[in-house]
């Protein structure tokens, strides 16, 4: 081959074609997706705001995505539904407010697309983040003790102090979640695709 | 002058010209090579840390900047943009200069670019460890540092085009097609992906499609073309034979350009995207069998009858290992993109093993091949010891084998157990732990190889050490050591 222009044009053409096909086309197809109104008259999905949005940023900053997916595969493809990771498959509409969507590619830990519905207990989440093996024996999830504060108990026990097995009610030092842990748990609790969408009959 | 003396004079001119070209590449190419070796060591340390944390989560758990979810993307960033890309740019500049038969232009700017690239990778990595990473796979570097990388990259593209315009040969050798692909594809991919995702130009799951369009093409249209360009250059160079078939080269290149582009969405099989989009990715991935078979056949037929040379040439040994791994990883990739296989292997350690088969067993091995070949010519000093090269090779090869076998098996079983809802999730986790230890063991072995390699590069670069005359070859010929 000795014709340089052919080389240039061919190289650029192939990549421009794929960007149009794999990005522009789906963007055109999906840009019109709107929230749906659920049984309680609430538009879903809800755009993350306040503590939920902060928690989402923390989820990104801590790299939770490298072990947890947020996508439920359809019936007959894997056992996501059978495992109770969701009541229906995840659809594009569920992610219209996600910048970026945190679909994930790894399940070293379980899927979290509906963790808010599957595990609504705040104290479970705090305990699990502080020391995962307390709630999930055998877990290889790293402990996130740096999201908590250990301090002297003054003026009674705060409601969100962790109920650690080794330290009873009367222990002098207590573990309480820092604001970061609270935001992260607020985000986790918001993860719930439990509403009907027209895409999934 | 009779014909023989005339030919000898032309030969001598060729050799002098080549020496002049190599001398012009010396500082910039060596700067990129040396930087890449430093990043290789940093990347290995991060890899060991991340690997260890997967089976021993209490290890260094109280520092937020060393939590697994930050060390893991820091490792990827350092090896992809520090080690792999800088090694690739070093190889690319030197190869282009040689193939165009021109001296390297803009040397000062390239040195500055190398420094800036280092700053961007360091800044990006520290940001990731500090919790400012983007959690968009392969695009974790925050936009500011990514912008710096783009600036340097455009310089690389300009330099490539300058050399190409000034080339002294009309025929364009196959390696150059791939190098041109790399320098034109990567900036387009990187700018588009950063812009579309981080500036939220597209929204929702289209960002995921953009993400995997980019992430797969980093391998297919950036690292793979450089790797193949090097193999296409080194095989005939070392064996002293021409490439088997020009037409196979042509077919291999254009089918890669055509199909690899579309393969990325196979990372989203089963995900919340339009079905057609994923199907396109599956088709593109399976069609990759054409360029892969073509290139494999071309390389095999070129090497056929010369495999005995593997015993003596370190460069050839690394090259052939890399080229064979390219075939293996590509065929595996095409099969993994099939929905029935993907249903099991997606979301498991199998994918991690596959990624390392590509970037380590293929690409990194080929980068070591080109460095073992080019560095003595660039630095004007031979490697100190053939035995150390062999130690490096076997640490890398055996380490990679343990890595791949352990994680591939673990991943397949992990996927099968995960697809059986009667198996508790934590039992799946427990099942994988011994294999995660095997990965750490493999990582230690690979890192030993990297340290041996880095030590050798240091020996060549440091002035005033013992001088070695004659090439370092395995077996019969040993390098002759002479007093300084």
């Amino acid at each position: 081959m000795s014709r340089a222009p052919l080389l240039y044009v061919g190289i650029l053409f192939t990549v421009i074609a794929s960007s149009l096909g794999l990005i522009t086309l789906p963007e055109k197809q999906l840009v019109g997706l709107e929230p749906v109104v659920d049984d309680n008259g609430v538009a879903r999905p809800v755009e993350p705001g306040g503590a939920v949005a902060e928690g989402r940023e923390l989820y990104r900053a801590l790299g939770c995505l490298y072990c947890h997916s947020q996508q439920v595969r359809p019936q007959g493809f894997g056992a996501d539904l059978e495992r109770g990771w969701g009541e229906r498959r995840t659809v594009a509409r569920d992610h219209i407010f996600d910048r970026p969507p945190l679909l994930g590619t790894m399940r070293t830990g379980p899927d979290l697309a509906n963790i808010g519905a599957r595990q609504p207990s705040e104290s479970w989440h705090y305990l699990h983040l502080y020391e995962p093996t307390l709630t999930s024996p055998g877990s290889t999830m790293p402990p996130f003790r740096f999201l908590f504060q250990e301090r002297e108990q003054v003026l009674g026990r705060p409601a969100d102090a962790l109920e650690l097995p080794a330290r009873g009610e009367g222990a002098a030092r207590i573990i309480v979640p820092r604001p970061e842990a609270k935001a992260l748990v607020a985000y986790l609790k918001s993860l719930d695709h439990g509403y009907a969408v027209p895409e999934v009959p | 002058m009779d014909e023989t003396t005339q030919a000898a004079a032309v030969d001598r001119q060729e050799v002098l010209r080549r020496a002049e070209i190599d001398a012009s590449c010396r500082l910039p190419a060596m700067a990129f090579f040396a930087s890449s070796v430093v990043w290789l060591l940093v990347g290995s340390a991060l890899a060991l840390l991340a690997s260890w944390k997967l089976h021993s989560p209490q290890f260094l758990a109280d520092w937020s900047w060393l939590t697994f979810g930050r060390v893991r993307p820091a490792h990827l960033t350092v090896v992809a943009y520090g080690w792999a890309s800088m090694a690739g740019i070093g190889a690319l500049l030197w190869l282009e200069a040689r193939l165009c038969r021109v001296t390297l232009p803009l040397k000062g700017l390239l040195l500055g670019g190398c420094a800036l690239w280092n700053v961007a990778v360091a800044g990006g990595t520290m940001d990731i460890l500090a919790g400012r990473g983007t959690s968009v796979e392969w695009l974790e570097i925050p936009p500011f540092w990514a912008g710096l990388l783009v600036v340097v990259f455009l310089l690389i593209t300009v330099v490539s085009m300058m050399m190409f315009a000034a080339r002294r040969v009309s025929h364009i050798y196959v390696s150059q097609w791939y190098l041109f692909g790399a320098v034109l594809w990567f900036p387009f991919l990187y700018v588009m992906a950063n812009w579309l995702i981080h500036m939220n130009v597209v929204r929702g799951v289209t960002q995921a499609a953009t993400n995997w369009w980019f992430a797969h093409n980093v391998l297919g249209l950036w690292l793979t073309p450089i790797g193949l360009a090097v193999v296409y250059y080194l095989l005939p160079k070392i064996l002293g034979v021409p490439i088997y078939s020009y037409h196979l080269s042509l077919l291999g290149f254009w089918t890669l350009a055509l199909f690899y582009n579309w393969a990325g969405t196979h990372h989203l099989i089963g995900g919340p995207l339009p079905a057609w989009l994923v199907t396109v990715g599956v088709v593109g991935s399976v069609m990759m069998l054409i360029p892969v078979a073509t290139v494999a056949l071309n390389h095999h037929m070129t090497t056929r009858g010369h495999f005995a040379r593997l015993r003596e040439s370190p460069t050839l040994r690394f090259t052939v290992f890399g080229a064979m791994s390219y075939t293996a990883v590509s065929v595996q990739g095409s099969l993994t993109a099939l929905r029935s296989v993907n249903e099991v292997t997606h979301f498991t350690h199998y994918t991690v093993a596959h990624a390392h088969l590509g970037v380590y067993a293929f690409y990194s091995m080929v980068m070591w091949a080109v460095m073992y070949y080019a560095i003595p010519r660039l630095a004007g000093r031979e490697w100190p010891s053939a035995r150390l090269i062999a130690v490096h090779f076997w640490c890398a090869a055996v380490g990679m084998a343990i890595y791949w076998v352990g994680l591939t098996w673990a991943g397949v079983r992990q996927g099968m157990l995960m697809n059986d809802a009667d198996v508790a999730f934590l039992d799946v986790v427990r099942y994988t732990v011994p294999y995660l230890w095997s990965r750490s063991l493999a990582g230690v072995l690979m890192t030993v190889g990297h340290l041996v390699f880095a030590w050798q590069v240091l020996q060549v670069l440091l002035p005033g050490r013992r001088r070695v005359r004659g090439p370092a070859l395995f077996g019969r010929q040993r390098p002759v050591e002479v007093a300084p």
Side-chain angles (χ1 to χ4, degrees), chain B residues 331-354:
Chain B
V331 172
Q332 190 196 14
S334 295
L335 295 176
T336 307
L338 298 174
R339 280 190 167 84
S340 51
V341 180
N342 203 269
E343 181 181 5
V344 175
T345 60
H346 193 27
F347 302 121
T348 72
H349 297 295
Y350 173 98
T351 314
V352 183
H354 174 64

Side-chain angles (χ1 to χ4, degrees), chain A residues 1-35 56-85 88-111 118 128 130-133 135-147 193, chain B residues 53-55 57-58 61-64 67-70 72-73 128 131-137 140 161 164-165 167 170-173 176-177 180-181 184-185 188-189 192 196-198 200-210 212-213 217 221 246 250 253-254 257-258 261-265 267-274 276-277 280-281 339-340 342-344 346-349 351-352 414 417-426 428-430 433 436:
Chain A
M1 185 157 58
S2 55
R3 270 177 296 178
L6 184 73
L7 192 61
Y8 285 136
V9 171
I11 286 167
L12 287 174
F13 169 78
T14 50
V15 73
I16 290 171
S18 74
S19 67
L20 292 173
L22 297 182
I23 301 169
T24 312
L25 277 186
E27 176 67 10
K28 287 258 177 290
Q29 180 182 349
L30 300 173
V31 75
L33 284 177
E34 296 289 342
R56 191 174 197 278
E57 283 311 302
L58 213 66
Y59 186 95
R60 289 176 73 184
L62 291 169
C64 305
L65 157 135
Y66 296 98
C67 289
H68 294 283
S69 61
Q70 285 189 29
Q71 50 175 312
V72 178
R73 293 189 286 178
Q75 184 71 51
F77 196 75
D80 299 13
L81 295 169
E82 291 82 350
R83 283 195 175 273
W85 286 343
R88 60 166 173 83
R89 68 161 300 176
T90 314
V91 295
R93 192 188 301 271
D94 297 325
H95 298 281
I96 52 177
F97 296 122
D98 287 352
R99 298 184 183 92
L102 302 169
L103 301 178
T105 50
M106 202 54 192
R107 284 177 175 169
T108 307
D111 185 83
R118 286 164 49 214
H128 181 246
Y130 182 78
E131 178 48 62
T133 52
T135 57
S136 316
S139 168
T140 53
M141 180 166 124
F144 291 90
R145 289 187 284 263
F146 52 82
L147 297 178
H193 296 149
Chain B
K53 281 166 168 280
L54 271 182
H55 49 68
Q58 297 293 338
D62 286 326
W63 286 294
S64 62
T67 192
F68 174 82
R70 292 184 184 175
R72 149 80 173 74
I128 292 167
R132 290 185 287 270
T134 65
S135 270
V136 177
E137 289 187 67
E140 284 95 347
M161 300 189 69
F164 198 56
R167 73 186 190 278
S170 69
H171 177 74
I172 310 170
Y173 183 61
Q176 278 168 296
W177 315 342
F180 254 94
L184 291 178
W185 279 322
F188 184 84
L189 292 165
M192 286 288 277
L196 293 175
I197 297 175
H198 296 329
N200 294 306
V201 178
V202 295
R203 64 169 205 167
V205 294
T206 309
Q207 290 195 359
T210 311
W212 287 106
W213 168 78
N217 284 345
L221 300 178
Y246 169 77
L250 206 60
F253 175 76
W254 286 112
L258 209 54
N261 263 298
W262 297 85
T265 49
H267 287 270
L268 296 161
I269 296 174
L273 289 100
W276 68 264
L277 190 61
V280 167
R339 280 190 167 84
S340 51
N342 203 269
E343 181 181 5
V344 175
H346 193 27
F347 302 121
T348 72
H349 297 295
T351 314
V352 183
Q414 181 191 8
L417 293 172
M418 222 161 11
N419 286 350
D420 177 356
D422 294 334
V423 180
F425 189 86
L426 282 168
V428 185
V429 172
R430 284 191 198 96
V433 170
L436 298 176

Side-chain angles (χ1 to χ4, degrees), chain B residues 13-37:
Chain B
Q13 246 176 349
E14 267 300 294
V15 170
L16 286 174
R17 178 83 194 141
R18 199 155 58 215
E20 188 193 346
I21 291 167
D22 283 355
S24 77
C25 294
R26 184 177 184 166
L27 279 178
M30 282 307 294
F32 275 99
F33 281 153
S35 307
S36 77
V37 178

Side-chain angles (χ1 to χ4, degrees), chain B residues 15 78 98 160:
Chain B
V15 170
V78 164
R98 270 195 164 200
S160 301

